[in-house]
Amino acid sequence: MSALATEHHAINLAQGFPEFPVSETLIELVYHYMVKGHNQYAPMPGLLRLRERIAEKIATQYLKKVNPETEITITAGATEGLYTTIAALVRPGDEVVILEPAYDSYIPAILLQGGIPVTVAMNRDFSVDWPAVEEKVSPKTRMIIVNTPHNPSGMVFSAEDWQQLSNIVQKHGIWVLSDEVYEHIIFDGLQHQSVLRYEALARHCVAVFSFGKTFHATGWKVGYVVASAALTQEIRKAHQYLQFSVHTPTQYALADFLENENHYTSLGSFYQKKRDLFLRHMQTLPFQPLKAKGTYFQLFSYKNYTDFPDRQFANYLTREAKVASIPISVFYQDKTDHHYLRFCFAKHDETLIQAAHFLSQFL
Ligand SMILES: Cc1ncc(COP(=O)(O)O)c(C=O)c1O
């Protein structure tokens, strides 16, 4: 969709990346550490001082004590964290339960290990049908992958969701891979419910995070994986040969930045204003929003406007209305189409207003 947006000079609300500058302080810190000569390989699990800051952040936010030496690994973005975890824990023939619509990196990573993705559709309001999930669990199930706040729907897990998942996980002895890259982008007074809060899941879970989403720096590709020492030991065996280590000066810079700034605590209200502005300007359109509770994605249903397949409709809007979005059917293996489009609102206010204006002129 991004290529199509460029070709047709359309506003790109398709790909999920923020259009805001990275903090100058953080950029200066990276530069500082480069000039100071920290340009060689970092330790394989990541710089200890960065892992210590992360452990402090987790203790404050999720009231969970994590050992920075044995339970945190710095990865090349969440993508490498997810892949590495799957490569370490999934064997040929193992089944992995995925809730659909699902972020696109999970299924290829499972297939590359010879694993079998077993998909469960979320409900029409994108809540999770836990009895349906349990029905798909078999003796071959190794892992379930969850994502909250959820891309693409913008829904978030409640404590009740974690409770239901916890029951299934403990009953069947499977692992949870929890993708929490949007942990700080959550709205309307809701609190992110990290898997790390749940002591009963501690031995069973791997949580994956990304600095890219938190510091508007998706191109830096720095993230981290939190898991018990036993699971971390296995995960690092894969990380060592996939990536070995992550950009050194950036790790030093992030460690300092985390110590002195907590920019991320205001990220929710920053994006909530964007969501609300976008929703206000889109309200004259013949679309129904499914108000995002988190992430920087807003879904709209166009089913009362047309029954065009969503891929075709997204293409059409890109070419004709000059606004690119993502059709939700691409997040399903069987291309289920409920006539939803996803728009990324991590953009300047003028961009969002202009996109809504283009669409309202056209529809
Ligand atoms: C749900 C989800 N997980 C993981 C990622 C990848 O994160 P990173 O850029 O840190 O690799 C993304 C990026 O869009 C995402 O939306």
Side-chain angles (χ1 to χ4, degrees), residues 10 16 29 131 135 149 169 177 184 241 248 250 263 279 290 294 305 322 325 354 357-359:
L29 282 167
E135 257 173 46
V169 163
L177 174 51
H184 300 298
Y241 297 109
T248 308
T250 305
H263 153 94
L279 283 173
L290 185 88
Y305 178 74
K322 308 288 179 207
S325 57
Q354 197 177 27
H357 177 69
F358 280 4
L359 289 166

mmCIF file with all atom_site columns, all heavy atoms in Angstrom, residues 10 16 29 131 135 149 169 177 184 241 248 250 263 279 290 294 305 322 325 354 357-359:
data_model
loop_
_atom_site.group_PDB
_atom_site.id
_atom_site.type_symbol
_atom_site.label_atom_id
_atom_site.label_alt_id
_atom_site.label_comp_id
_atom_site.label_asym_id
_atom_site.label_entity_id
_atom_site.label_seq_id
_atom_site.pdbx_PDB_ins_code
_atom_site.Cartn_x
_atom_site.Cartn_y
_atom_site.Cartn_z
_atom_site.occupancy
_atom_site.B_iso_or_equiv
_atom_site.pdbx_formal_charge
_atom_site.auth_seq_id
_atom_site.auth_comp_id
_atom_site.auth_asym_id
_atom_site.auth_atom_id
_atom_site.pdbx_PDB_model_num
ATOM 1   N N   . ALA A 1 10  ? -0.587  9.732   -2.801 1.00 0.00 ? 10  ALA A N   1
ATOM 2   C CA  . ALA A 1 10  ? -1.652  9.684   -1.787 1.00 0.00 ? 10  ALA A CA  1
ATOM 3   C C   . ALA A 1 10  ? -1.052  9.884   -0.392 1.00 0.00 ? 10  ALA A C   1
ATOM 4   O O   . ALA A 1 10  ? 0.140   9.629   -0.177 1.00 0.00 ? 10  ALA A O   1
ATOM 5   C CB  . ALA A 1 10  ? -2.354  8.326   -1.850 1.00 0.00 ? 10  ALA A CB  1
ATOM 6   N N   . GLY A 1 16  ? 2.439   1.584   9.429  1.00 0.00 ? 16  GLY A N   1
ATOM 7   C CA  . GLY A 1 16  ? 2.415   2.080   10.808 1.00 0.00 ? 16  GLY A CA  1
ATOM 8   C C   . GLY A 1 16  ? 3.747   2.623   11.257 1.00 0.00 ? 16  GLY A C   1
ATOM 9   O O   . GLY A 1 16  ? 4.554   1.906   11.845 1.00 0.00 ? 16  GLY A O   1
ATOM 10  N N   . LEU A 1 29  ? 22.695  11.950  22.441 1.00 0.00 ? 29  LEU A N   1
ATOM 11  C CA  . LEU A 1 29  ? 23.329  10.884  23.234 1.00 0.00 ? 29  LEU A CA  1
ATOM 12  C C   . LEU A 1 29  ? 23.940  9.807   22.331 1.00 0.00 ? 29  LEU A C   1
ATOM 13  O O   . LEU A 1 29  ? 25.044  9.323   22.592 1.00 0.00 ? 29  LEU A O   1
ATOM 14  C CB  . LEU A 1 29  ? 22.301  10.257  24.184 1.00 0.00 ? 29  LEU A CB  1
ATOM 15  C CG  . LEU A 1 29  ? 21.974  11.056  25.450 1.00 0.00 ? 29  LEU A CG  1
ATOM 16  C CD1 . LEU A 1 29  ? 20.728  10.497  26.143 1.00 0.00 ? 29  LEU A CD1 1
ATOM 17  C CD2 . LEU A 1 29  ? 23.161  11.038  26.412 1.00 0.00 ? 29  LEU A CD2 1
ATOM 18  N N   . PRO A 1 131 ? -13.258 -19.663 24.881 1.00 0.00 ? 131 PRO A N   1
ATOM 19  C CA  . PRO A 1 131 ? -13.611 -21.085 24.697 1.00 0.00 ? 131 PRO A CA  1
ATOM 20  C C   . PRO A 1 131 ? -13.178 -21.598 23.319 1.00 0.00 ? 131 PRO A C   1
ATOM 21  O O   . PRO A 1 131 ? -12.695 -22.737 23.191 1.00 0.00 ? 131 PRO A O   1
ATOM 22  C CB  . PRO A 1 131 ? -15.144 -21.086 24.829 1.00 0.00 ? 131 PRO A CB  1
ATOM 23  C CG  . PRO A 1 131 ? -15.440 -19.876 25.680 1.00 0.00 ? 131 PRO A CG  1
ATOM 24  C CD  . PRO A 1 131 ? -14.406 -18.847 25.312 1.00 0.00 ? 131 PRO A CD  1
ATOM 25  N N   . GLU A 1 135 ? -10.577 -24.695 22.539 1.00 0.00 ? 135 GLU A N   1
ATOM 26  C CA  . GLU A 1 135 ? -10.919 -25.808 21.633 1.00 0.00 ? 135 GLU A CA  1
ATOM 27  C C   . GLU A 1 135 ? -9.791  -26.127 20.651 1.00 0.00 ? 135 GLU A C   1
ATOM 28  O O   . GLU A 1 135 ? -9.662  -27.261 20.205 1.00 0.00 ? 135 GLU A O   1
ATOM 29  C CB  . GLU A 1 135 ? -12.160 -25.430 20.805 1.00 0.00 ? 135 GLU A CB  1
ATOM 30  C CG  . GLU A 1 135 ? -13.418 -26.090 21.309 1.00 0.00 ? 135 GLU A CG  1
ATOM 31  C CD  . GLU A 1 135 ? -14.634 -25.562 20.588 1.00 0.00 ? 135 GLU A CD  1
ATOM 32  O OE1 . GLU A 1 135 ? -14.599 -25.459 19.342 1.00 0.00 ? 135 GLU A OE1 1
ATOM 33  O OE2 . GLU A 1 135 ? -15.601 -25.207 21.285 1.00 0.00 ? 135 GLU A OE2 1
ATOM 34  N N   . PRO A 1 149 ? -1.648  -3.716  23.473 1.00 0.00 ? 149 PRO A N   1
ATOM 35  C CA  . PRO A 1 149 ? -2.703  -3.301  22.559 1.00 0.00 ? 149 PRO A CA  1
ATOM 36  C C   . PRO A 1 149 ? -2.510  -3.921  21.168 1.00 0.00 ? 149 PRO A C   1
ATOM 37  O O   . PRO A 1 149 ? -1.379  -4.126  20.738 1.00 0.00 ? 149 PRO A O   1
ATOM 38  C CB  . PRO A 1 149 ? -2.555  -1.789  22.513 1.00 0.00 ? 149 PRO A CB  1
ATOM 39  C CG  . PRO A 1 149 ? -1.961  -1.430  23.846 1.00 0.00 ? 149 PRO A CG  1
ATOM 40  C CD  . PRO A 1 149 ? -1.036  -2.559  24.171 1.00 0.00 ? 149 PRO A CD  1
ATOM 41  N N   . VAL A 1 169 ? -3.412  -21.777 29.817 1.00 0.00 ? 169 VAL A N   1
ATOM 42  C CA  . VAL A 1 169 ? -1.971  -22.022 29.789 1.00 0.00 ? 169 VAL A CA  1
ATOM 43  C C   . VAL A 1 169 ? -1.562  -22.999 30.887 1.00 0.00 ? 169 VAL A C   1
ATOM 44  O O   . VAL A 1 169 ? -0.777  -23.933 30.661 1.00 0.00 ? 169 VAL A O   1
ATOM 45  C CB  . VAL A 1 169 ? -1.231  -20.670 29.940 1.00 0.00 ? 169 VAL A CB  1
ATOM 46  C CG1 . VAL A 1 169 ? 0.214   -20.862 30.319 1.00 0.00 ? 169 VAL A CG1 1
ATOM 47  C CG2 . VAL A 1 169 ? -1.349  -19.869 28.650 1.00 0.00 ? 169 VAL A CG2 1
ATOM 48  N N   . LEU A 1 177 ? 3.584   -16.175 24.139 1.00 0.00 ? 177 LEU A N   1
ATOM 49  C CA  . LEU A 1 177 ? 4.466   -15.140 23.582 1.00 0.00 ? 177 LEU A CA  1
ATOM 50  C C   . LEU A 1 177 ? 3.604   -13.881 23.476 1.00 0.00 ? 177 LEU A C   1
ATOM 51  O O   . LEU A 1 177 ? 2.619   -13.849 22.729 1.00 0.00 ? 177 LEU A O   1
ATOM 52  C CB  . LEU A 1 177 ? 4.997   -15.578 22.213 1.00 0.00 ? 177 LEU A CB  1
ATOM 53  C CG  . LEU A 1 177 ? 5.812   -14.561 21.418 1.00 0.00 ? 177 LEU A CG  1
ATOM 54  C CD1 . LEU A 1 177 ? 6.936   -13.957 22.244 1.00 0.00 ? 177 LEU A CD1 1
ATOM 55  C CD2 . LEU A 1 177 ? 6.398   -15.224 20.159 1.00 0.00 ? 177 LEU A CD2 1
ATOM 56  N N   . HIS A 1 184 ? 2.762   1.585   25.723 1.00 0.00 ? 184 HIS A N   1
ATOM 57  C CA  . HIS A 1 184 ? 2.514   2.954   26.213 1.00 0.00 ? 184 HIS A CA  1
ATOM 58  C C   . HIS A 1 184 ? 1.446   3.691   25.437 1.00 0.00 ? 184 HIS A C   1
ATOM 59  O O   . HIS A 1 184 ? 1.133   4.823   25.765 1.00 0.00 ? 184 HIS A O   1
ATOM 60  C CB  . HIS A 1 184 ? 3.814   3.756   26.181 1.00 0.00 ? 184 HIS A CB  1
ATOM 61  C CG  . HIS A 1 184 ? 4.865   3.147   27.044 1.00 0.00 ? 184 HIS A CG  1
ATOM 62  N ND1 . HIS A 1 184 ? 4.699   3.003   28.410 1.00 0.00 ? 184 HIS A ND1 1
ATOM 63  C CD2 . HIS A 1 184 ? 6.066   2.604   26.748 1.00 0.00 ? 184 HIS A CD2 1
ATOM 64  C CE1 . HIS A 1 184 ? 5.763   2.405   28.894 1.00 0.00 ? 184 HIS A CE1 1
ATOM 65  N NE2 . HIS A 1 184 ? 6.597   2.154   27.925 1.00 0.00 ? 184 HIS A NE2 1
ATOM 66  N N   . TYR A 1 241 ? 23.028  -16.422 17.219 1.00 0.00 ? 241 TYR A N   1
ATOM 67  C CA  . TYR A 1 241 ? 23.404  -16.746 15.830 1.00 0.00 ? 241 TYR A CA  1
ATOM 68  C C   . TYR A 1 241 ? 22.555  -16.041 14.787 1.00 0.00 ? 241 TYR A C   1
ATOM 69  O O   . TYR A 1 241 ? 22.856  -16.097 13.600 1.00 0.00 ? 241 TYR A O   1
ATOM 70  C CB  . TYR A 1 241 ? 23.396  -18.269 15.638 1.00 0.00 ? 241 TYR A CB  1
ATOM 71  C CG  . TYR A 1 241 ? 24.437  -18.891 16.540 1.00 0.00 ? 241 TYR A CG  1
ATOM 72  C CD1 . TYR A 1 241 ? 24.076  -19.644 17.651 1.00 0.00 ? 241 TYR A CD1 1
ATOM 73  C CD2 . TYR A 1 241 ? 25.796  -18.623 16.326 1.00 0.00 ? 241 TYR A CD2 1
ATOM 74  C CE1 . TYR A 1 241 ? 25.042  -20.151 18.505 1.00 0.00 ? 241 TYR A CE1 1
ATOM 75  C CE2 . TYR A 1 241 ? 26.765  -19.132 17.187 1.00 0.00 ? 241 TYR A CE2 1
ATOM 76  C CZ  . TYR A 1 241 ? 26.383  -19.889 18.267 1.00 0.00 ? 241 TYR A CZ  1
ATOM 77  O OH  . TYR A 1 241 ? 27.331  -20.370 19.122 1.00 0.00 ? 241 TYR A OH  1
ATOM 78  N N   . THR A 1 248 ? 25.589  -0.622  19.326 1.00 0.00 ? 248 THR A N   1
ATOM 79  C CA  . THR A 1 248 ? 26.147  -0.288  20.638 1.00 0.00 ? 248 THR A CA  1
ATOM 80  C C   . THR A 1 248 ? 25.851  1.144   21.111 1.00 0.00 ? 248 THR A C   1
ATOM 81  O O   . THR A 1 248 ? 25.330  1.326   22.218 1.00 0.00 ? 248 THR A O   1
ATOM 82  C CB  . THR A 1 248 ? 27.672  -0.550  20.625 1.00 0.00 ? 248 THR A CB  1
ATOM 83  O OG1 . THR A 1 248 ? 27.887  -1.875  20.146 1.00 0.00 ? 248 THR A OG1 1
ATOM 84  C CG2 . THR A 1 248 ? 28.282  -0.381  21.994 1.00 0.00 ? 248 THR A CG2 1
ATOM 85  N N   . THR A 1 250 ? 23.595  3.222   20.423 1.00 0.00 ? 250 THR A N   1
ATOM 86  C CA  . THR A 1 250 ? 22.162  3.420   20.698 1.00 0.00 ? 250 THR A CA  1
ATOM 87  C C   . THR A 1 250 ? 21.784  2.814   22.043 1.00 0.00 ? 250 THR A C   1
ATOM 88  O O   . THR A 1 250 ? 20.972  3.371   22.781 1.00 0.00 ? 250 THR A O   1
ATOM 89  C CB  . THR A 1 250 ? 21.321  2.814   19.557 1.00 0.00 ? 250 THR A CB  1
ATOM 90  O OG1 . THR A 1 250 ? 21.754  3.396   18.338 1.00 0.00 ? 250 THR A OG1 1
ATOM 91  C CG2 . THR A 1 250 ? 19.848  3.097   19.739 1.00 0.00 ? 250 THR A CG2 1
ATOM 92  N N   . HIS A 1 263 ? 9.476   10.243  28.989 1.00 0.00 ? 263 HIS A N   1
ATOM 93  C CA  . HIS A 1 263 ? 8.673   10.706  27.875 1.00 0.00 ? 263 HIS A CA  1
ATOM 94  C C   . HIS A 1 263 ? 7.481   9.766   27.616 1.00 0.00 ? 263 HIS A C   1
ATOM 95  O O   . HIS A 1 263 ? 6.395   10.204  27.273 1.00 0.00 ? 263 HIS A O   1
ATOM 96  C CB  . HIS A 1 263 ? 9.591   10.804  26.648 1.00 0.00 ? 263 HIS A CB  1
ATOM 97  C CG  . HIS A 1 263 ? 8.922   10.654  25.331 1.00 0.00 ? 263 HIS A CG  1
ATOM 98  N ND1 . HIS A 1 263 ? 8.486   11.730  24.610 1.00 0.00 ? 263 HIS A ND1 1
ATOM 99  C CD2 . HIS A 1 263 ? 8.589   9.564   24.612 1.00 0.00 ? 263 HIS A CD2 1
ATOM 100 C CE1 . HIS A 1 263 ? 7.916   11.304  23.496 1.00 0.00 ? 263 HIS A CE1 1
ATOM 101 N NE2 . HIS A 1 263 ? 7.980   9.998   23.475 1.00 0.00 ? 263 HIS A NE2 1
ATOM 102 N N   . LEU A 1 279 ? -10.915 11.110  14.547 1.00 0.00 ? 279 LEU A N   1
ATOM 103 C CA  . LEU A 1 279 ? -12.312 10.656  14.599 1.00 0.00 ? 279 LEU A CA  1
ATOM 104 C C   . LEU A 1 279 ? -13.271 11.817  14.331 1.00 0.00 ? 279 LEU A C   1
ATOM 105 O O   . LEU A 1 279 ? -14.268 11.661  13.621 1.00 0.00 ? 279 LEU A O   1
ATOM 106 C CB  . LEU A 1 279 ? -12.620 10.040  15.975 1.00 0.00 ? 279 LEU A CB  1
ATOM 107 C CG  . LEU A 1 279 ? -12.087 8.628   16.202 1.00 0.00 ? 279 LEU A CG  1
ATOM 108 C CD1 . LEU A 1 279 ? -12.295 8.201   17.657 1.00 0.00 ? 279 LEU A CD1 1
ATOM 109 C CD2 . LEU A 1 279 ? -12.779 7.633   15.266 1.00 0.00 ? 279 LEU A CD2 1
ATOM 110 N N   . LEU A 1 290 ? -14.430 1.880   14.918 1.00 0.00 ? 290 LEU A N   1
ATOM 111 C CA  . LEU A 1 290 ? -14.370 1.016   16.095 1.00 0.00 ? 290 LEU A CA  1
ATOM 112 C C   . LEU A 1 290 ? -13.301 1.696   16.952 1.00 0.00 ? 290 LEU A C   1
ATOM 113 O O   . LEU A 1 290 ? -12.104 1.490   16.743 1.00 0.00 ? 290 LEU A O   1
ATOM 114 C CB  . LEU A 1 290 ? -13.921 -0.386  15.694 1.00 0.00 ? 290 LEU A CB  1
ATOM 115 C CG  . LEU A 1 290 ? -13.947 -1.388  16.815 1.00 0.00 ? 290 LEU A CG  1
ATOM 116 C CD1 . LEU A 1 290 ? -15.310 -2.036  16.905 1.00 0.00 ? 290 LEU A CD1 1
ATOM 117 C CD2 . LEU A 1 290 ? -12.887 -2.462  16.607 1.00 0.00 ? 290 LEU A CD2 1
ATOM 118 N N   . GLY A 1 294 ? -6.156  1.518   22.084 1.00 0.00 ? 294 GLY A N   1
ATOM 119 C CA  . GLY A 1 294 ? -4.701  1.592   22.154 1.00 0.00 ? 294 GLY A CA  1
ATOM 120 C C   . GLY A 1 294 ? -4.126  1.469   20.750 1.00 0.00 ? 294 GLY A C   1
ATOM 121 O O   . GLY A 1 294 ? -4.891  1.320   19.786 1.00 0.00 ? 294 GLY A O   1
ATOM 122 N N   . TYR A 1 305 ? -21.630 1.396   3.369  1.00 0.00 ? 305 TYR A N   1
ATOM 123 C CA  . TYR A 1 305 ? -21.409 2.246   2.202  1.00 0.00 ? 305 TYR A CA  1
ATOM 124 C C   . TYR A 1 305 ? -21.334 1.427   0.909  1.00 0.00 ? 305 TYR A C   1
ATOM 125 O O   . TYR A 1 305 ? -21.939 1.761   -0.103 1.00 0.00 ? 305 TYR A O   1
ATOM 126 C CB  . TYR A 1 305 ? -20.120 3.048   2.407  1.00 0.00 ? 305 TYR A CB  1
ATOM 127 C CG  . TYR A 1 305 ? -19.753 3.922   1.239  1.00 0.00 ? 305 TYR A CG  1
ATOM 128 C CD1 . TYR A 1 305 ? -20.460 5.093   0.970  1.00 0.00 ? 305 TYR A CD1 1
ATOM 129 C CD2 . TYR A 1 305 ? -18.702 3.570   0.378  1.00 0.00 ? 305 TYR A CD2 1
ATOM 130 C CE1 . TYR A 1 305 ? -20.132 5.886   -0.122 1.00 0.00 ? 305 TYR A CE1 1
ATOM 131 C CE2 . TYR A 1 305 ? -18.375 4.357   -0.711 1.00 0.00 ? 305 TYR A CE2 1
ATOM 132 C CZ  . TYR A 1 305 ? -19.084 5.508   -0.956 1.00 0.00 ? 305 TYR A CZ  1
ATOM 133 O OH  . TYR A 1 305 ? -18.771 6.291   -2.035 1.00 0.00 ? 305 TYR A OH  1
ATOM 134 N N   . LYS A 1 322 ? -6.882  9.527   -2.843 1.00 0.00 ? 322 LYS A N   1
ATOM 135 C CA  . LYS A 1 322 ? -5.514  9.887   -2.456 1.00 0.00 ? 322 LYS A CA  1
ATOM 136 C C   . LYS A 1 322 ? -5.267  9.721   -0.952 1.00 0.00 ? 322 LYS A C   1
ATOM 137 O O   . LYS A 1 322 ? -4.585  10.535  -0.325 1.00 0.00 ? 322 LYS A O   1
ATOM 138 C CB  . LYS A 1 322 ? -5.151  11.330  -2.870 1.00 0.00 ? 322 LYS A CB  1
ATOM 139 C CG  . LYS A 1 322 ? -5.419  11.642  -4.325 1.00 0.00 ? 322 LYS A CG  1
ATOM 140 C CD  . LYS A 1 322 ? -4.397  10.935  -5.217 1.00 0.00 ? 322 LYS A CD  1
ATOM 141 C CE  . LYS A 1 322 ? -4.663  11.212  -6.691 1.00 0.00 ? 322 LYS A CE  1
ATOM 142 N NZ  . LYS A 1 322 ? -4.182  10.135  -7.566 1.00 0.00 ? 322 LYS A NZ  1
ATOM 143 N N   . SER A 1 325 ? -4.836  3.261   3.045  1.00 0.00 ? 325 SER A N   1
ATOM 144 C CA  . SER A 1 325 ? -5.123  2.581   4.322  1.00 0.00 ? 325 SER A CA  1
ATOM 145 C C   . SER A 1 325 ? -4.764  1.108   4.115  1.00 0.00 ? 325 SER A C   1
ATOM 146 O O   . SER A 1 325 ? -4.313  0.726   3.038  1.00 0.00 ? 325 SER A O   1
ATOM 147 C CB  . SER A 1 325 ? -6.606  2.722   4.647  1.00 0.00 ? 325 SER A CB  1
ATOM 148 O OG  . SER A 1 325 ? -7.374  2.200   3.570  1.00 0.00 ? 325 SER A OG  1
ATOM 149 N N   . GLN A 1 354 ? -6.197  16.684  6.520  1.00 0.00 ? 354 GLN A N   1
ATOM 150 C CA  . GLN A 1 354 ? -6.226  16.660  5.062  1.00 0.00 ? 354 GLN A CA  1
ATOM 151 C C   . GLN A 1 354 ? -6.734  15.308  4.534  1.00 0.00 ? 354 GLN A C   1
ATOM 152 O O   . GLN A 1 354 ? -7.522  15.258  3.582  1.00 0.00 ? 354 GLN A O   1
ATOM 153 C CB  . GLN A 1 354 ? -4.835  16.953  4.503  1.00 0.00 ? 354 GLN A CB  1
ATOM 154 C CG  . GLN A 1 354 ? -4.911  17.342  3.044  1.00 0.00 ? 354 GLN A CG  1
ATOM 155 C CD  . GLN A 1 354 ? -3.563  17.720  2.478  1.00 0.00 ? 354 GLN A CD  1
ATOM 156 O OE1 . GLN A 1 354 ? -2.522  17.258  2.956  1.00 0.00 ? 354 GLN A OE1 1
ATOM 157 N NE2 . GLN A 1 354 ? -3.581  18.542  1.447  1.00 0.00 ? 354 GLN A NE2 1
ATOM 158 N N   . HIS A 1 357 ? -10.371 15.224  4.893  1.00 0.00 ? 357 HIS A N   1
ATOM 159 C CA  . HIS A 1 357 ? -10.956 16.136  3.916  1.00 0.00 ? 357 HIS A CA  1
ATOM 160 C C   . HIS A 1 357 ? -10.997 15.482  2.524  1.00 0.00 ? 357 HIS A C   1
ATOM 161 O O   . HIS A 1 357 ? -12.035 15.488  1.851  1.00 0.00 ? 357 HIS A O   1
ATOM 162 C CB  . HIS A 1 357 ? -10.126 17.432  3.896  1.00 0.00 ? 357 HIS A CB  1
ATOM 163 C CG  . HIS A 1 357 ? -10.595 18.413  2.881  1.00 0.00 ? 357 HIS A CG  1
ATOM 164 N ND1 . HIS A 1 357 ? -11.817 19.076  2.995  1.00 0.00 ? 357 HIS A ND1 1
ATOM 165 C CD2 . HIS A 1 357 ? -10.034 18.839  1.727  1.00 0.00 ? 357 HIS A CD2 1
ATOM 166 C CE1 . HIS A 1 357 ? -11.966 19.871  1.953  1.00 0.00 ? 357 HIS A CE1 1
ATOM 167 N NE2 . HIS A 1 357 ? -10.910 19.754  1.157  1.00 0.00 ? 357 HIS A NE2 1
ATOM 168 N N   . PHE A 1 358 ? -9.886  14.868  2.122  1.00 0.00 ? 358 PHE A N   1
ATOM 169 C CA  . PHE A 1 358 ? -9.835  14.188  0.808  1.00 0.00 ? 358 PHE A CA  1
ATOM 170 C C   . PHE A 1 358 ? -10.927 13.121  0.728  1.00 0.00 ? 358 PHE A C   1
ATOM 171 O O   . PHE A 1 358 ? -11.616 13.009  -0.274 1.00 0.00 ? 358 PHE A O   1
ATOM 172 C CB  . PHE A 1 358 ? -8.467  13.519  0.607  1.00 0.00 ? 358 PHE A CB  1
ATOM 173 C CG  . PHE A 1 358 ? -7.370  14.446  0.175  1.00 0.00 ? 358 PHE A CG  1
ATOM 174 C CD1 . PHE A 1 358 ? -7.566  15.828  0.045  1.00 0.00 ? 358 PHE A CD1 1
ATOM 175 C CD2 . PHE A 1 358 ? -6.099  13.938  -0.105 1.00 0.00 ? 358 PHE A CD2 1
ATOM 176 C CE1 . PHE A 1 358 ? -6.526  16.668  -0.344 1.00 0.00 ? 358 PHE A CE1 1
ATOM 177 C CE2 . PHE A 1 358 ? -5.062  14.775  -0.512 1.00 0.00 ? 358 PHE A CE2 1
ATOM 178 C CZ  . PHE A 1 358 ? -5.278  16.147  -0.624 1.00 0.00 ? 358 PHE A CZ  1
ATOM 179 N N   . LEU A 1 359 ? -11.054 12.351  1.803  1.00 0.00 ? 359 LEU A N   1
ATOM 180 C CA  . LEU A 1 359 ? -12.043 11.269  1.788  1.00 0.00 ? 359 LEU A CA  1
ATOM 181 C C   . LEU A 1 359 ? -13.462 11.836  1.729  1.00 0.00 ? 359 LEU A C   1
ATOM 182 O O   . LEU A 1 359 ? -14.315 11.334  0.986  1.00 0.00 ? 359 LEU A O   1
ATOM 183 C CB  . LEU A 1 359 ? -11.874 10.376  3.037  1.00 0.00 ? 359 LEU A CB  1
ATOM 184 C CG  . LEU A 1 359 ? -10.631 9.491   3.047  1.00 0.00 ? 359 LEU A CG  1
ATOM 185 C CD1 . LEU A 1 359 ? -10.374 8.921   4.449  1.00 0.00 ? 359 LEU A CD1 1
ATOM 186 C CD2 . LEU A 1 359 ? -10.767 8.334   2.056  1.00 0.00 ? 359 LEU A CD2 1
#
